[in-house]
Amino acid sequence: MASESGAPGGDAAGAGAPLTERGARTRERLLTAAREVFEERGFLDTRVAHITRHAKVAYGSFYTYFPSKEAVFLEVADRLFADMTQHDLVPLEGPSPAARVRRANRAYYEAYRRNAKMMAIIEQVSTFNVEFQEMRRKHRAVAVSRSAKAIRRWQAAGLAPADIDPEMASRALAAMVDHSLYLWLVQGEEPDDRLLDTLDTLSIRALGLDP
Amino acid sequence: MASESGAPGGDAAGAGAPLTERGARTRERLLTAAREVFEERGFLDTRVAHITRHAKVAYGSFYTYFPSKEAVFLEVADRLFADMTQHDLVPLEGPSPAARVRRANRAYYEAYRRNAKMMAIIEQVSTFNVEFQEMRRKHRAVAVSRSAKAIRRWQAAGLAPADIDPEMASRALAAMVDHSLYLWLVQGEEPDDRLLDTLDTLSIRALGLDP
Amino acid sequence: MASESGAPGGDAAGAGAPLTERGARTRERLLTAAREVFEERGFLDTRVAHITRHAKVAYGSFYTYFPSKEAVFLEVADRLFADMTQHDLVPLEGPSPAARVRRANRAYYEAYRRNAKMMAIIEQVSTFNVEFQEMRRKHRAVAVSRSAKAIRRWQAAGLAPADIDPEMASRALAAMVDHSLYLWLVQGEEPDDRLLDTLDTLSIRALGLDP
Amino acid sequence: MASESGAPGGDAAGAGAPLTERGARTRERLLTAAREVFEERGFLDTRVAHITRHAKVAYGSFYTYFPSKEAVFLEVADRLFADMTQHDLVPLEGPSPAARVRRANRAYYEAYRRNAKMMAIIEQVSTFNVEFQEMRRKHRAVAVSRSAKAIRRWQAAGLAPADIDPEMASRALAAMVDHSLYLWLVQGEEPDDRLLDTLDTLSIRALGLDP
DNA sequence: CATGAATGAGAGTTCATTCAT
DNA sequence: GATGAATGAACTCTCATTCAT
């Protein structure tokens, strides 16, 4: 599956990976073009012809590298998720739980803003493509369980109240941040920069952390 | 708003409201069938033929009452929103802010569960239909401003901390509840009934209410 | 055939003629509306619904009086031809052949102008409806043979050169007048009132008449 | 003008000019088939499927080269007009005005007879397609102004009476010839070879030329 | 007679995918 | 590999005509 093989050379696409230098370049051009076109028109309104035209590649060449429109999208999304979860790799150790919540929220916000257009399309595809839903579910699960682990640690250290369910709380708060950003940055809900502060404050209060 | 233009009596282009009893029945059959088919297959995979077959009317009869697939959907969604927001009309006066938050969350949950399948489709359509996005935005705005007003009242009464932005907080918490239910009831995220309690607890804590 | 039964009460339409006073009025309303709508939108773009709406009559009532869209059109055209050929009945005796040519041309022009919109539609229908072509052919034949007879008389009286074929000449000159008016009044060819004088002059010269 | 936008090389919306030899052949097959089918069934009764079947190509291939039925028709008509006006390029210098009128009439007659079936369809389309009306108007204007210039020259040389309006006269006579041929060759008016001679004679007499 | 709903055979157009060169 | 033509199953919407009330 694409989520396991983000790097070129994997067998994500189902079509033979390019062996030559030239092939690799063409494939790359198609991927870049695909992302740009998807962002511009959405998945549904994107035609394979749009992608090849944008990539300045022959129509037929598309199918040399990708077995279908879904396949390119999956790979584009894969790269995006790599970018989105990169911040998680940053050492989460820091001065205080509250500070770390704030930092994580901001990092996610930055990543979201950077990829807002694709996030919109990802949301779109998630509504009808089961394979893709599964991919998202996995990504979410990883993030949620990481947060849950942190909460559990804080509870053990007496920094967070014990009556909170770590899994459920991280699921709910992730949903809050994620969807708030979606409504703001994708659906164009009236922008308001107080929102970010509010998300921090609510998260911290909800978890009973010392601000 | 859709409830004014989509309802019988409007003069949507090319389709008219039925003038006879019989026509009204056919229209109703189509609406019911439409909802059932949409729930079954999603908006994109629904064909007008599916709807008419399900309603046991001729293909062409569909266009006697609706100018397009989008139009029936809008009307189906309109009815759904009416049902979803009905609970808001319940008097919000109650024993305590925390109790009222719980009650509102539960009411929303019940409504969501009742309409989960359609909510999925509504999410789908929202990702590509601008007109429909606007309709949802308005519904959200109404709900959010109502919650904000409540928060403001509680702040004035000293029942909630003053440093919370009522608008932003209600936006964020609505997003939390809404999206958590979406991931659970629509996307099939591993079900867990602790989630509901967690949503209540987090909401109440986040708002600094006395549990 | 419609051309033989222009008056209500004939069996032109194939549907029973109206027996009651009320029926006659409805039928009349439909005929008037039909003409107006045909003139406005052309035959092809006219829908039966347009006609009934315009006549403020129920959709189904149309088929009480006319078996098809073609049938109303035929009857509308029939009335029009009656108006167009009325002027032929005016005694053609006059001071001189040239004067009579002029008078006939002007009379035709007046009639054409009066009915220009319908003439356009008639031309349209003639291009695909064989039955209708035949109707027009008959009308033309009558007019042409009448003119031919006049030319023959003038030849016998020494007022026109004998080397002209009366039938062919009247066919050709009728075509000239008819089509010139068509291009002018229907196709919107740059209007020019010198055209009428030219038609007279050319007709008279072509027939070798003393102006 | 159609000859600029309809011809290969234009970028008519949705359809492109073939880039390969093979594509050019397919396009040509479609054009030929289109003309044959149009002649056989008329514009209105022609289906795209008829054309593709006749050309032995897949249904969809039609839309590789033409954006619509109208578009092929425009291009077929364009080619026809090129053929119809070819004779105008023949040097008009000749023994006498009368002889040149005769020659022009005969050349037009030959062209008309060669293309009679398509002329019928062109007439049909002209009655409802505005774009196409404009195209015909332009072609007519060119032909008429050329004749008018000749008449003017003859008047200057004293070969034609000065009281004739050259523009109007050439419009009227063109209408006469055109429509007479139309009624004969298209509408199947009783054929008569005296008609051609009569058209010559009337034209010459009408213009006051020395036979 | 009047009314308006019901019918369903088309027709044009799209576009992912396959294939020939 | 690259190129672009070829394919044809869908799908939506129209509208003359028929029918039930």
Side-chain angles (χ1 to χ4, degrees):
Chain A
M1 177 160 296
S3 54
E4 256 108 37
S5 60
D11 59 348
L19 299 172
T20 70
E21 183 62 32
R22 181 188 177 205
R25 253 180 297 124
T26 303
R27 190 175 205 282
E28 200 55 35
R29 286 238 300 284
L30 283 166
L31 266 171
T32 307
R35 165 152 185 167
E36 284 163 13
V37 177
F38 282 138
E39 288 186 339
E40 175 101 8
R41 334 178 65 119
F43 181 81
L44 293 169
D45 291 339
T46 288
R47 307 282 155 256
V48 173
H50 294 149
I51 298 175
T52 54
R53 207 178 301 148
H54 202 84
K56 294 191 204 304
V57 153
Y59 199 155
S61 297
F62 179 88
Y63 288 90
T64 306
Y65 298 103
F66 305 98
S68 69
K69 202 172 81 165
E70 271 76 16
V72 231
F73 183 77
L74 230 55
E75 202 162 328
V76 168
D78 219 49
R79 294 194 170 188
L80 179 133
F81 281 127
D83 178 81
M84 290 294 287
T85 49
Q86 205 174 345
H87 76 99
D88 294 343
L89 303 177
V90 177
L92 280 175
E93 313 311 316
S96 73
R100 270 154 60 192
V101 165
R102 277 195 202 89
R103 208 196 302 153
N105 278 350
R106 294 306 161 123
Y108 192 68
Y109 162 70
E110 292 298 343
Y112 208 111
R113 207 170 50 118
R114 211 164 43 238
N115 298 300
K117 275 184 184 158
M118 265 305 290
M119 292 306 282
I121 320 305
I122 280 173
E123 202 63 45
Q124 181 176 85
V125 176
S126 295
T127 66
F128 54 82
N129 184 311
V130 180
E131 188 184 6
F132 197 70
Q133 273 168 28
E134 184 54 18
M135 172 176 164
R136 289 203 79 198
R137 206 194 48 69
K138 278 186 189 154
H139 277 285
R140 250 195 320 267
V142 170
V144 162
S145 87
R146 184 173 303 144
S147 304
K149 209 182 323 180
I151 295 175
R152 225 173 278 117
R153 252 186 288 121
W154 296 337
Q155 288 177 324
L159 298 170
D163 66 339
I164 277 177
D165 182 314
E167 284 290 336
M168 291 304 104
S170 70
R171 251 168 81 165
L173 292 176
M176 175 178 78
V177 175
D178 208 49
H179 203 54
S180 292
L181 293 176
Y182 174 73
L183 293 175
W184 179 17
L185 300 171
V186 170
Q187 290 283 346
E189 200 109 293
E190 196 190 322
D192 205 315
D193 24 305
R194 291 169 302 160
L195 183 58
L196 287 181
D197 286 333
T198 301
L199 288 176
D200 293 342
T201 310
L202 295 185
S203 301
I204 291 164
R205 276 227 173 92
L207 291 174
L209 301 175
D210 181 5
Chain B
M1 184 166 287
S3 55
E4 254 104 45
S5 71
D11 58 345
L19 301 173
T20 67
E21 187 58 40
R22 184 191 178 200
R25 253 179 293 127
T26 303
R27 192 175 200 280
E28 203 55 37
R29 286 235 303 284
L30 281 166
L31 267 170
T32 306
R35 167 154 184 164
E36 284 162 13
V37 177
F38 282 139
E39 289 186 338
E40 174 105 7
R41 335 180 65 120
F43 182 81
L44 293 169
D45 290 339
T46 289
R47 307 285 154 249
V48 172
H50 296 147
I51 298 175
T52 53
R53 208 176 302 146
H54 203 86
K56 294 189 203 305
V57 302
Y59 197 152
S61 295
F62 178 87
Y63 291 93
T64 305
Y65 298 105
F66 305 98
S68 68
K69 198 172 76 164
E70 274 75 17
V72 229
F73 184 76
L74 226 59
E75 203 163 327
V76 168
D78 219 50
R79 292 191 172 190
L80 179 132
F81 281 126
D83 178 78
M84 290 293 286
T85 49
Q86 204 173 346
H87 76 98
D88 294 343
L89 303 177
V90 178
L92 281 174
E93 312 312 315
S96 74
R100 270 153 61 190
V101 165
R102 276 193 204 92
R103 206 197 302 156
N105 278 349
R106 296 305 161 121
Y108 192 67
Y109 161 70
E110 294 296 343
Y112 209 111
R113 205 168 52 116
R114 207 163 49 237
N115 297 301
K117 277 184 183 157
M118 264 306 289
M119 291 306 281
I121 319 305
I122 279 173
E123 203 62 44
Q124 181 176 86
V125 176
S126 294
T127 66
F128 55 81
N129 184 311
V130 181
E131 186 186 4
F132 198 69
Q133 273 168 27
E134 183 53 18
M135 174 175 164
R136 290 204 78 198
R137 206 194 49 67
K138 277 185 187 154
H139 278 285
R140 254 196 316 270
V142 170
V144 162
S145 88
R146 186 172 300 143
S147 306
K149 210 183 323 182
I151 294 175
R152 225 174 278 117
R153 252 186 286 118
W154 297 335
Q155 287 177 326
L159 298 169
D163 66 338
I164 277 177
D165 183 314
E167 284 290 334
M168 291 303 106
S170 69
R171 250 169 82 165
L173 293 177
M176 175 177 79
V177 175
D178 209 48
H179 203 53
S180 293
L181 293 177
Y182 174 73
L183 292 175
W184 177 19
L185 301 170
V186 170
Q187 290 285 346
E189 200 110 292
E190 195 189 324
D192 208 315
D193 24 306
R194 289 168 302 159
L195 183 58
L196 286 181
D197 286 333
T198 302
L199 288 175
D200 293 342
T201 309
L202 295 185
S203 301
I204 290 164
R205 277 226 172 94
L207 291 173
L209 302 175
D210 181 6
Chain C
M1 178 163 294
S3 55
E4 256 109 39
S5 61
D11 59 350
L19 299 171
T20 69
E21 181 61 31
R22 182 190 177 203
R25 253 181 296 124
T26 304
R27 191 176 205 280
E28 199 56 34
R29 286 237 300 283
L30 282 166
L31 266 171
T32 307
R35 165 152 186 167
E36 283 163 11
V37 177
F38 282 138
E39 287 186 339
E40 175 101 6
R41 334 178 65 120
F43 182 81
L44 293 170
D45 291 338
T46 288
R47 307 284 155 255
V48 173
H50 294 150
I51 298 175
T52 54
R53 206 177 302 146
H54 202 86
K56 294 190 203 308
V57 153
Y59 199 154
S61 295
F62 179 87
Y63 289 90
T64 306
Y65 297 102
F66 305 97
S68 69
K69 202 173 83 165
E70 272 76 16
V72 230
F73 184 76
L74 229 56
E75 200 161 328
V76 168
D78 218 49
R79 292 194 173 188
L80 179 133
F81 281 127
D83 177 79
M84 289 296 284
T85 48
Q86 203 174 344
H87 75 99
D88 294 344
L89 304 177
V90 177
L92 280 174
E93 311 311 319
S96 74
R100 272 154 59 189
V101 166
R102 276 194 204 91
R103 208 197 303 154
N105 277 350
R106 296 306 163 121
Y108 192 68
Y109 161 71
E110 293 297 342
Y112 208 112
R113 208 170 49 118
R114 209 164 47 236
N115 298 300
K117 277 185 182 156
M118 264 306 289
M119 293 304 284
I121 318 307
I122 280 173
E123 202 62 45
Q124 180 177 87
V125 177
S126 296
T127 66
F128 55 81
N129 184 310
V130 181
E131 188 184 6
F132 198 69
Q133 273 168 27
E134 182 55 17
M135 172 175 162
R136 289 203 77 197
R137 205 194 49 67
K138 277 185 187 154
H139 277 284
R140 251 196 318 271
V142 170
V144 162
S145 90
R146 185 173 303 142
S147 304
K149 208 184 320 182
I151 294 175
R152 223 172 278 117
R153 251 186 286 118
W154 295 336
Q155 287 176 325
L159 298 170
D163 65 340
I164 277 177
D165 183 314
E167 284 290 336
M168 292 303 105
S170 70
R171 253 169 80 167
L173 292 177
M176 175 177 79
V177 175
D178 208 49
H179 203 54
S180 293
L181 293 177
Y182 174 73
L183 292 175
W184 179 19
L185 301 171
V186 170
Q187 291 283 345
E189 200 109 294
E190 195 189 326
D192 207 317
D193 24 305
R194 290 169 304 161
L195 182 59
L196 287 182
D197 286 333
T198 301
L199 288 175
D200 292 343
T201 311
L202 294 185
S203 301
I204 291 165
R205 275 227 173 92
L207 291 174
L209 301 176
D210 182 5
Chain D
M1 182 167 289
S3 54
E4 254 105 44
S5 71
D11 58 344
L19 300 173
T20 68
E21 188 57 39
R22 185 189 176 203
R25 252 179 295 128
T26 304
R27 192 175 201 281
E28 201 56 36
R29 287 235 303 283
L30 282 166
L31 266 171
T32 307
R35 168 155 183 164
E36 284 163 13
V37 177
F38 281 139
E39 288 185 337
E40 173 103 7
R41 333 179 66 119
F43 181 82
L44 293 170
D45 291 338
T46 289
R47 308 284 155 251
V48 172
H50 295 148
I51 297 176
T52 53
R53 208 177 300 146
H54 202 85
K56 293 189 203 306
V57 301
Y59 199 151
S61 295
F62 179 87
Y63 290 92
T64 305
Y65 298 105
F66 305 97
S68 68
K69 200 172 76 164
E70 274 75 17
V72 230
F73 184 76
L74 226 58
E75 202 164 325
V76 168
D78 219 48
R79 293 193 172 188
L80 180 133
F81 280 127
D83 178 78
M84 291 294 286
T85 48
Q86 206 174 346
H87 75 98
D88 293 343
L89 303 176
V90 177
L92 281 173
E93 311 310 315
S96 74
R100 271 151 58 189
V101 166
R102 276 192 204 91
R103 209 197 299 158
N105 277 350
R106 295 307 161 120
Y108 192 68
Y109 161 70
E110 293 297 343
Y112 209 112
R113 206 170 50 118
R114 207 162 50 235
N115 299 300
K117 275 182 183 159
M118 264 305 290
M119 293 304 284
I121 319 305
I122 280 173
E123 203 63 44
Q124 180 177 86
V125 176
S126 294
T127 65
F128 55 80
N129 184 310
V130 180
E131 188 186 3
F132 197 69
Q133 273 167 27
E134 183 54 17
M135 174 174 161
R136 289 203 79 197
R137 206 195 48 68
K138 277 185 187 154
H139 277 285
R140 252 196 317 269
V142 169
V144 162
S145 90
R146 186 172 301 144
S147 305
K149 209 183 326 180
I151 294 176
R152 225 173 277 116
R153 251 187 287 119
W154 296 336
Q155 288 177 324
L159 298 170
D163 65 339
I164 278 178
D165 183 315
E167 284 291 335
M168 291 303 105
S170 68
R171 252 169 82 165
L173 293 177
M176 175 178 79
V177 174
D178 211 47
H179 203 52
S180 293
L181 292 177
Y182 174 73
L183 292 175
W184 179 17
L185 300 171
V186 170
Q187 290 284 348
E189 200 109 293
E190 194 190 326
D192 207 316
D193 24 307
R194 289 168 303 160
L195 182 59
L196 286 182
D197 286 332
T198 300
L199 289 175
D200 293 342
T201 309
L202 294 186
S203 300
I204 291 164
R205 276 227 173 93
L207 289 173
L209 302 175
D210 182 4

